[in-house]
Amino acid sequence: MVRYNPFFWLLKAAIYLGERWFQMNGGVIQSVSDGRRDQRYWLATRYFSWRKFWNFIRVELQLRFARRIIWGSAYEWEIDTTNICQLKCPLCHTGKGTIHRDQGVMDFDLFKSTVDQIKNSCMWLTLYSWGEPFLNRRIHEYIEYAHKQKLATIISSNLNKPLTPEIAEQVIRSGLDVMIVSLDGVSQEVYEVYRVGGHLDRVLANLRLLDAKKRELGSKTPYIEWQFIVMRQNEHQIEEARSLAVSLGVDSLVLKKVDFPHGENDPDEAEKWLPRQHPEYLRADPFYKPYQEDGGVCWRLWRTAVINWDGGFAPCCYLTDKTQDFGDVGVSSVKSIWNGEDYTAARGLFKKDFVPQKWVGCLDCSVYLGSSAARSRGPVYLHPEPLLLRVNGFKSANSNGVKHDDEIPQIEMASVSPLKQEESLDEAKSEEPV
């Protein structure tokens, strides 16, 4: 076991101590929620390789010099195998309907091709973003393939899809390392305030089934992490949640602070959701992001990468629209996109002497706009080319459990750009996932 290896204990001490002097933007450790930092570190060491380690060192060194072209690759990857979700959470871009991208499920061959390209650099692979992973009926196959490539796998689920003993066993045997379960209340009336359309009894039944199956199979994985976002309507249930966590057999209960949608700064919205009785779950600035750039550089452009279900490649999940993609892994290699025109332009934004020649999604991001480079540079008058999107109905890339094209109702097409996206979405009616 890696936990008994002195090297990893020394490495952990070095990282935590070095965080004070060498990390950027308050540190990558500080961007991880309280209650899961240790777990994520040991998860990375479970699949340790010297090749991944030296890639990590190279990326961190080049981040400090804000190099535009990087020798190395992202070490934290996110692949959203589906962006469909059955809930309407009011602080989620999917729930709010503010994502301008077709809905569907990633083609399995595209997934395998992507994993094969990132397996020597990826320390954590999160198989979720703006969708519910279990709405991909073959999610266990995706997890299993990544696990066989020695990647640490994490999913986050609202766990509202009824699980059968067969599905539970498939997920456990797939090699999944961590399952985050979003559960923000211990009574239906409290739970459904935020998890709109959700069924608490279903979530609890699924958790009990997973616990029973893990015991039956003698498996310690997946590590079940109950994520409880502390909000005004549920803060009085924290102690009940702690008691319930024990009886459910979950491995940990993570009490998380509220994160508002990227770009949100409405004080009335904050007043509606933020807790009153537990100030320890408040930030000094309610709209502050744990990865806030704080005048230096946005570390996500060096450390992380996101692949959407349709192959769209972006530096972070907050570039939600198709127009903001930096490339397409169905067309180009990961390596060519990573140091391509969009990425090098985005990294250059954080150098005061750099003059951008093309629009990239980061130009609209509050992280960039709050930087010293942006203040020095002033407004940049660049805009993307309009992009034709299907904004109604679903698209299935393969037989993963989503409607096929011939089952989709009348489709509306819209030409959109960031200047027109809001009005385009308002005009288009989205079909409800099932």
Side-chain angles (χ1 to χ4, degrees):
M1 290 290 291
V2 294
R3 284 180 184 258
Y4 299 106
N5 188 326
F7 169 76
F8 293 117
W9 283 102
L10 291 171
L11 179 61
K12 180 182 178 183
I15 291 173
Y16 275 72
L17 289 173
E19 188 82 351
R20 299 180 182 180
W21 295 286
F22 300 115
Q23 292 289 342
M24 306 289 289
N25 314 67
V28 67
I29 292 174
Q30 295 302 316
S31 71
V32 180
S33 296
D34 294 341
R36 64 172 60 137
R37 292 169 187 165
D38 253 21
Q39 194 272 338
R40 293 296 187 269
Y41 172 77
W42 291 113
L43 177 59
T45 62
R46 185 181 301 170
Y47 300 92
F48 177 86
S49 75
W50 286 106
R51 190 167 180 178
K52 291 180 183 180
F53 180 70
W54 291 122
N55 177 75
F56 169 81
I57 296 296
R58 290 198 305 267
V59 170
E60 290 298 306
L61 288 173
Q62 291 170 98
L63 167 58
R64 273 131 197 85
F65 294 99
R67 285 179 56 95
R68 293 174 56 213
I69 297 177
I70 301 177
W71 182 44
S73 184
Y75 58 78
E76 182 170 356
W77 288 82
E78 183 177 297
I79 299 181
D80 198 14
T81 70
T82 180
N83 63 346
I84 303 168
C85 186
Q86 73 276 57
L87 303 190
K88 299 292 182 182
C89 304
L91 296 182
C92 170
H93 282 292
T94 302
K96 290 167 69 71
T98 52
I99 294 178
H100 299 77
R101 185 182 300 275
D102 290 346
Q103 290 184 311
V105 177
M106 176 176 275
D107 180 82
F108 189 50
D109 288 336
L110 178 61
F111 176 80
K112 291 193 294 182
S113 171
T114 303
V115 167
D116 289 344
Q117 294 177 73
I118 68 174
K119 63 184 180 183
N120 293 318
S121 64
C122 179
M123 298 173 69
W124 299 278
L125 176 60
T126 55
L127 294 171
Y128 66 93
S129 186
W130 296 113
E132 165 51 49
F134 281 109
L135 294 184
N136 174 0
R137 294 180 183 176
R138 297 175 60 192
I139 187 62
H140 61 284
E141 296 180 43
Y142 291 66
I143 297 167
E144 183 178 17
Y145 186 81
H147 177 72
K148 287 180 178 178
Q149 307 309 311
K150 301 187 185 304
L151 299 183
T153 52
I154 307 169
I155 67 170
S156 179
S157 172
N158 59 53
L159 220 55
N160 263 262
K161 177 181 176 179
L163 301 184
T164 64
E166 180 185 14
I167 294 173
E169 183 168 339
Q170 288 173 339
V171 171
I172 293 166
R173 291 190 182 278
S174 70
L176 177 65
D177 292 291
V178 178
M179 181 189 297
I180 302 168
V181 179
S182 299
L183 176 56
D184 317 299
V186 297
S187 62
Q188 178 63 28
E189 61 269 25
V190 170
Y191 171 73
E192 66 185 1
V193 170
Y194 185 70
R195 302 292 167 183
V196 179
H199 302 278
L200 178 63
D201 56 347
R202 189 176 295 169
V203 181
L204 298 179
N206 286 337
L207 281 170
R208 292 188 175 101
L209 173 61
L210 287 165
D211 180 54
K213 271 294 175 183
K214 282 175 63 177
R215 293 174 186 275
E216 177 187 321
L217 298 171
S219 177
K220 293 184 178 180
T221 57
Y223 180 98
I224 306 290
E225 179 185 297
W226 175 355
Q227 177 179 276
F228 186 105
I229 303 175
V230 180
M231 294 177 277
R232 177 155 304 177
Q233 77 278 3
N234 66 16
E235 59 180 318
H236 65 286
Q237 295 187 333
I238 290 176
E239 290 307 316
E240 290 180 77
R242 288 192 172 111
S243 298
L244 182 58
V246 175
S247 67
L248 289 172
V250 299
D251 295 289
S252 67
L253 171 64
V254 173
L255 299 172
K256 191 172 180 290
K257 297 172 184 175
V258 177
D259 279 329
F260 291 93
H262 202 61
E264 177 72 70
N265 59 2
D266 183 356
D268 292 335
E269 194 72 1
E271 181 69 16
K272 177 181 178 181
W273 295 105
L274 293 177
R276 292 180 178 178
Q277 301 170 8
H278 292 272
E280 65 270 30
Y281 300 110
L282 294 173
R283 296 188 176 98
D285 175 0
F287 304 109
Y288 179 85
K289 299 296 183 185
Y291 52 85
Q292 194 71 31
E293 174 276 333
D294 291 338
V297 300
C298 176
W299 52 256
R300 288 182 178 266
L301 289 164
W302 284 261
R303 292 173 174 157
T304 71
V306 174
I307 309 295
N308 290 286
W309 78 269
D310 57 1
F313 192 131
C316 74
C317 62
Y318 290 99
L319 295 186
T320 57
D321 293 354
K322 185 68 177 175
T323 57
Q324 298 171 322
D325 288 347
F326 282 18
D328 186 334
V329 293
V331 177
S332 307
S333 69
V334 167
K335 184 177 180 180
S336 65
I337 298 171
W338 179 245
N339 280 318
E341 188 178 6
D342 290 76
Y343 254 110
T344 54
R347 295 179 189 128
L349 293 177
F350 295 92
K351 288 181 173 288
K352 295 180 181 179
D353 58 348
F354 177 77
V355 179
Q357 298 298 315
K358 67 169 298 183
W359 181 90
V360 289
C362 302
L363 283 165
D364 289 336
C365 178
S366 60
V367 176
Y368 162 68
L369 294 173
S371 71
S372 57
R375 292 192 295 270
S376 175
R377 181 177 291 115
V380 177
Y381 299 103
L382 295 170
H383 303 291
E385 292 295 323
L387 181 67
L388 192 66
L389 298 180
R390 173 166 46 193
V391 292
N392 187 17
F394 299 120
K395 180 180 179 181
S396 178
N398 60 3
S399 56
N400 290 350
V402 182
K403 292 182 179 180
H404 295 284
D405 285 345
D406 58 2
E407 296 173 307
I408 295 174
Q410 183 65 39
I411 300 299
E412 297 180 25
M413 305 301 288
S415 178
V416 301
S417 73
L419 299 179
K420 297 292 184 183
Q421 284 171 345
E422 292 304 323
E423 61 186 76
S424 297
L425 186 67
D426 289 340
E427 293 171 358
K429 296 179 180 179
S430 298
E431 185 188 62
E432 185 80 15
V434 293

